[in-house]
Amino acid sequence: MSIIGTIYEDVTTDVLGHIGSWQWLVTFISATLMVPSMLNQYEDMFLLEPPREIECDVSASSSVFNTSLCTYSVLNGTKVYKCTTWHVKFLWMIWFKKSWLIFCDHKIKLLSTTIICRLGLVFGCIIFGLIADSFGRKLAISIDVVAELGFRLILTFCDSESWFLLLIFLRSLFASANIYMGIILTCEIASSSWRTLLNAVVSIPRMLSAVCLVPLANVAPNSETFNFIACIFSASLLILLRWTPESPQWLLYNRGIPKAEKTILRAAKING
């Protein structure tokens, strides 16, 4: 989706130099903005291990025995009942009640949740590619950060299966831009001699997700706690939007010459 390898690259490099403080700043900001996209694989990884600190609510009846996460039995009875309410220990200290738990659904529902999440990711990458080419890289990045924050917060306290599936899809759809947008932005501010190295730095979160996401996901006792922690991290990324520049190449290509000049000259001052 990016415009690279054109005469506009020479204009940017001639003013800024091959590498400088501004290019490194944009690179590290882009890498940080890609961290939530790494955490979004949590829905897949967490299914490998049952959640902890979630209890079936059986109203403390003395006749209940053999309680598990999803079922319980009644004394002097042979029938096994399914849990309909649960107590979730949120942030390791606060208990609240839920009337639906994804881990007690059938396996096919767990699979369908993952498929829905991935479908949102596929459509989101296509949509944000069009948005980034039409309205700019920074707008796509900003929508991603705000959507990640909002949907994470709602998912933390969602207590409905249908709404949960819808929110999973929407979050994957609206929070998929930064999976690759940081790489595009880095390509468009980096000179040819430094592009490979800077893109390797930006891709570090994606590489780490393949290495350490499983143990990281299973550190959190449940998805509610994990979503809220990720939500707090996403809120901190709002600060970085102030220092996230628009791509000078995109501005030049779309005839935004005055804005491109301001961006390049501001970057040149940072580079000295």
Side-chain angles (χ1 to χ4, degrees):
M1 295 295 181
S2 62
I3 309 298
I4 60 176
T6 66
I7 58 173
Y8 302 115
E9 177 190 349
D10 297 332
V11 174
T12 305
T13 304
D14 286 344
V15 178
L16 301 181
H18 288 280
I19 194 66
S21 301
W22 185 74
Q23 285 98 326
W24 282 112
L25 176 63
V26 175
T27 299
F28 286 119
I29 288 176
S30 299
T32 306
L33 291 173
M34 289 184 72
V35 173
S37 66
M38 176 190 79
L39 300 178
N40 284 347
Q41 307 300 318
Y42 177 68
E43 280 75 20
D44 296 339
M45 300 304 179
F46 193 74
L47 299 180
L48 296 177
E49 181 176 316
R52 302 180 303 277
E53 300 190 12
I54 295 181
E55 298 178 357
C56 177
D57 181 20
V58 292
S59 303
S61 175
S62 58
S63 61
V64 172
F65 75 105
N66 196 22
T67 304
S68 65
L69 178 65
C70 303
T71 60
Y72 65 93
S73 301
V74 180
L75 192 63
N76 297 327
T78 58
K79 188 175 180 179
V80 177
Y81 297 90
K82 291 184 178 181
C83 291
T84 56
T85 55
W86 292 264
H87 284 137
V88 179
K89 195 171 187 180
F90 179 60
L91 289 177
W92 296 278
M93 57 183 176
I94 303 172
W95 290 92
F96 70 92
K97 184 177 290 189
K98 295 194 70 173
S99 59
W100 174 76
L101 193 67
I102 184 174
F103 297 97
C104 293
D105 274 334
H106 298 295
K107 289 295 183 182
I108 189 65
K109 290 188 176 182
L110 300 181
L111 178 61
S112 64
T113 302
T114 302
I115 293 175
I116 288 173
C117 183
R118 294 300 150 250
L119 284 176
L121 187 64
V122 171
F123 290 118
C125 287
I126 297 173
I127 292 172
F128 275 109
L130 299 174
I131 291 175
D133 283 348
S134 301
F135 303 102
R137 316 313 193 195
K138 186 172 183 177
L139 177 62
I141 292 173
S142 301
I143 293 175
D144 182 294
V145 174
V146 174
E148 181 76 25
L149 171 62
F151 286 118
R152 282 279 187 194
L153 184 60
I154 298 173
L155 278 169
T156 300
F157 301 101
C158 179
D159 194 23
S160 169
E161 179 182 2
S162 56
W163 279 105
F164 181 83
L165 296 176
L166 176 61
L167 289 170
I168 282 290
F169 177 78
L170 292 177
R171 197 216 56 197
S172 299
L173 180 71
F174 285 96
S176 58
N178 288 347
I179 290 177
Y180 62 95
M181 199 54 60
I183 296 176
I184 291 179
L185 182 59
T186 304
C187 281
E188 294 178 344
I189 58 95
S191 59
S192 296
S193 57
W194 283 86
R195 186 172 296 146
T196 301
L197 176 60
L198 297 185
N199 277 327
V201 174
V202 175
S203 301
I204 286 176
R206 299 293 299 170
M207 292 185 288
L208 288 177
S209 67
V211 176
C212 63
L213 189 58
V214 172
L216 176 64
N218 287 321
V219 166
N222 46 66
S223 59
E224 288 76 16
T225 298
F226 186 91
N227 274 323
F228 189 74
I229 293 174
C231 179
I232 294 175
F233 178 79
S234 297
S236 66
L237 297 182
L238 294 174
I239 302 173
L240 295 182
L241 293 179
R242 178 181 179 183
W243 290 283
T244 303
E246 185 55 87
S247 168
Q249 284 192 33
W250 182 86
L251 290 170
L252 289 170
Y253 185 79
N254 289 274
R255 304 181 185 278
I257 296 177
K259 293 182 179 180
E261 288 178 342
K262 290 181 180 180
T263 301
I264 294 174
L265 290 176
R266 190 181 305 115
K269 291 180 181 179
I270 296 176
N271 283 357

